[in-house]
DNA sequence: GATGAATGAGTCTTCATTCAT
DNA sequence: TATGAATGAAGACTCATTCAT
């Protein structure tokens, strides 16, 4: 009847672009709904494909989740590792940079939602937790440990229990990022000043590590 | 009144005890499985009632979940400031004691599961998150802030950004307790030594605060 | 609005009767559609229950199928075993009776459809085949072997390879019953005379076994 | 004709060969998995074509299935009566030879899978069953009947109900071949000795037919 | 003609919720 | 009140079929 109407194809062939589009959609849905709560229908709809198409690219829900982690979080780790290798100058500055980068590229983004998700659902999906532990937590720990050990070796940091210190040092950032993805989304303390939080964290952690007493505390923080 | 009164009563427990028993069972199941993963069948079985009975006391799963959080968290709050008021001696010791207590009474218990659960489900239940923030996080923050301020005022601690420092100082414990409730249940690093972790935490945090160079580092860790 | 309409209950509670009703419905559907082709929706509808109800009584499709076999076929085996125990007189008569019973109670009924189903689907559902082999084929073989061995021991039958003979003797009946459940349903040879087939089978098989030559062949079978 | 002719042809195989290759692949898959269990993906892969190509030659799965049966069964039929015509000597030997041949050329081959498949699917494809009955079962029956009638006429066999005897005599072989294609694939009785089974079958059947007392029983089986 | 990416209806299974007893 | 049998909507996953390339 309407000759111009026949032009809309039922679907398009986009083999190369699909996986990325699906992963991106899946990231959104997983972060928003959690693992169990994420419906593959929703992922498909958001990616603009049909449900069946998901299974052309990913074996099942778990594989899709792992792909999300591998594609979005894991690449950050190698970036971090390069930054560390490149660095010259005091280790304390490297540490501050590391924390700042972590926050900017992970903690403040929706990727942090993945951490929250893993913590929330690891009880019911142990493989998820093990996967995240193996692919994200441990590698990221190795980076931080490396920095600490180098700083101690050079005499810049005092000797601390490195095996545990790396967890402790990053905990405030990790917890804050998780917090922002859950409770913080709805009831942010009105006056939360993120830069100031990051500064306070870096100052305290560097202070905890430095071999010599801290020299300068910004005057505006004096009570 | 009723001639049949001599027959054994069909239900023995008092109506008043039921909601509490159900909530207690639900706490266990929710902590163990998360919200979506918790099956009302399991809750009922653990409470020793039938599934239908749950609906006599709670409108639905969501209402039960809210009741659990409200009933189990509130009782936690009326403790702690007394210990602080009683304390004499160095503030650093008070701080170490505070952390040790927190871990023993909360972080290492099933109650930590509630934190995890709230974080996990706050996205779907915003009021829950707000409630937890208002009733748990902030009061506990006030205590810690009090200690820090007193230490700074007395010159024992260096001046730090108290408003943020309290979050930072407790984060490692909070995160560790949450971790233990999820991933840690299935893939604990084989050699995790909890006392050593607590010691490392207290050392680092006290080190971050002390105005004078650290004195308490064990000699065998010195380079 | 219509006061009399409220009388129809949404469903009835029939705990004891349900399993039997479901099994009966499942037998029909399985025989009609095969294992893979049987939809649990259809089973439920035919049993007059909802799909969920099936899962109150049977763990899954396979368990339902096994229940069908256990409830409908297995009881026949113990009946057969009793009949054999009760028998006195020539073994050839026992054998004729055994075959006649088998046909009447199994081969000519829709239970034979289960045999066909198992043969048809054992390739895709090996457990199904193994279950049937274990619960039906082997026990029924033991019965027949028992008869043969007793007949040989008494000198009534000539010595044959019992281990294989039992399969051979019953094959014509088994194959005919399977045939009737598949091809035979649509293209029965017009003049198939079942009693005559059964008689021919019994005559040949007894003839194959008897130590002495067969005495009487009915005159009307002569060419 | 076409200036581009010097380029390598994109498809090498002739159009005419395709249907046969597909049918051959489909035979394997159908025999292996049954109708419902056969995936067109597998058929395509085994035929070395894409799934879409199947639809160039066959309207749908059902049409492909029918083509498979029609193409593979028909060629089987133009054999056998010659062997019978050629034979001289006792009919019992002819019969033994007939059974041995049948097993070797059909019962023990993949073609037996077709019998199983037809029996399994005749319920859903009545025409298939009718076709098989008409084109395979009945012609093969005529051959066997011929042998029996000749043997009876010559006095070597006792007079039996030929019309039914031919079915009965071949049933054990037919059923065994079907069995091997389904349950037997997964749970073969450990000690099944096929030659011994064939010998037992021939002995029993010849024994059932011979007019005179059996002469051919091996001495070591005598009581 | 040939391909294979894309579709979407269909099926088993789970579980929160209802209601006859 | 208490029960637990019954419900039915929802979700992960499969695969025959279509169609843009």
């Amino acid at each position: 009847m309407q000759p111009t109407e026949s032009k809309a194809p039922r679907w398009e062939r986009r083999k190369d672009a699909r996986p990325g589009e699906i992963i991106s959609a899946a990231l959104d849905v997983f972060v928003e709904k959690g693992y169990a709560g994420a419906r593959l229908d929703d992922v498909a709809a958001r990616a603009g494909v049909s449900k069946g198409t998901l299974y052309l690219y990913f074996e099942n829900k778990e594989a899709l989740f792992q792909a999300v982690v591998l594609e979005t979080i894991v690449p950050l780790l190698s970036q971090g590792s390069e930054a560390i290798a490149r660095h010259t100058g005091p280790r304390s500055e490297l540490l501050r940079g590391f924390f700042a980068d972590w926050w900017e590229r992970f903690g403040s983004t929706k990727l942090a939602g993945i951490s929250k998700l893993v913590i929330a659902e690891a009880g019911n999906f142990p493989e998820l937790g093990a996967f995240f532990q193996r692919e994200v937590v441990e590698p990221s720990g190795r980076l931080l440990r490396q920095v600490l050990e180098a700083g101690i070796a050079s005499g810049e940091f005092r000797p601390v229990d490195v095996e545990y210190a790396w967890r402790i040092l990053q905990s405030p950032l990790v917890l804050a990022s998780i917090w922002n993805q859950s409770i913080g989304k709805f009831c942010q303390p009105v006056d939360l000043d993120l830069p100031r939080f990051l500064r306070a964290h870096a100052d305290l952690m560097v202070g905890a590590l430095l071999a010599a007493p801290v020299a300068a505390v910004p005057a505006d923080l004096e009570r």
Side-chain angles (χ1 to χ4, degrees), chain A:
Chain A
M1 291 265 185
Q2 304 185 16
T4 61
E5 212 168 7
S6 63
K7 258 325 181 33
R10 276 214 327 198
W11 39 260
E12 238 182 309
R13 172 181 288 219
R14 315 195 53 216
K15 187 186 180 185
D16 294 343
R18 287 279 191 249
E21 292 167 355
I22 293 171
I23 284 177
S24 167
L27 172 62
D28 289 351
V29 177
F30 277 133
V31 166
E32 209 168 284
K33 307 282 175 97
Y35 183 76
R39 290 165 49 226
L40 292 190
D41 267 329
D42 287 347
V43 173
R46 201 175 300 210
V49 301
S50 76
K51 213 178 355 165
T53 299
L54 301 183
Y55 288 86
L56 290 179
Y57 296 99
F58 304 98
E59 201 177 331
N60 53 30
K61 196 181 188 180
E62 184 179 336
L64 175 57
F65 178 78
Q66 294 187 345
V68 168
V69 174
L70 288 176
E71 293 292 316
T72 59
I73 299 185
V74 170
L76 298 179
L77 293 169
S78 42
Q79 294 176 19
S81 145
E82 289 160 20
I84 289 174
R86 265 200 313 274
H87 180 83
T88 60
R91 306 291 174 181
S92 61
E93 288 313 305
L94 174 55
L95 203 60
R96 286 174 187 271
F98 182 90
F99 288 144
D101 274 11
W102 187 92
W103 185 262
E104 189 181 350
R105 296 193 190 167
F106 184 87
S108 63
T109 73
K110 69 188 159 195
L111 296 178
I114 297 288
S115 303
K116 190 209 75 175
L117 179 156
V118 169
I119 285 177
E121 322 242 17
N124 292 108
F125 303 93
E127 331 76 44
L128 245 56
F131 174 81
F132 193 79
Q133 172 82 17
R134 187 176 66 246
E135 299 289 340
V136 177
V137 176
E138 285 170 5
S140 124
R142 277 194 288 274
L143 292 185
L144 201 41
R145 223 155 43 197
Q146 206 179 318
V147 175
L148 296 183
E149 281 162 357
I152 294 171
S154 75
E156 185 180 349
F157 294 158
R158 64 193 181 92
V160 295
D161 191 343
V162 173
E163 192 52 49
Y164 293 82
W166 74 264
R167 297 166 195 273
I168 291 163
L169 295 182
Q170 75 174 4
S171 279
L173 294 184
V174 171
L175 187 60
S177 71
I178 289 171
W179 202 261
N180 282 343
Q181 291 292 327
S182 68
I183 301 179
K185 280 217 164 127
F186 303 95
C187 69
Q188 204 57 261
V190 279
D191 55 352
L192 184 74
D193 179 348
L194 228 10
R196 195 171 143 198
F197 168 75
L198 293 175
R199 223 179 314 129
H201 172 254
D203 286 343
L204 277 166
M205 293 309 142
V206 168
L209 290 170
L210 283 187
V214 181
V217 174
D220 64 319
L221 289 181
E222 299 268 353
R223 260 170 40 85

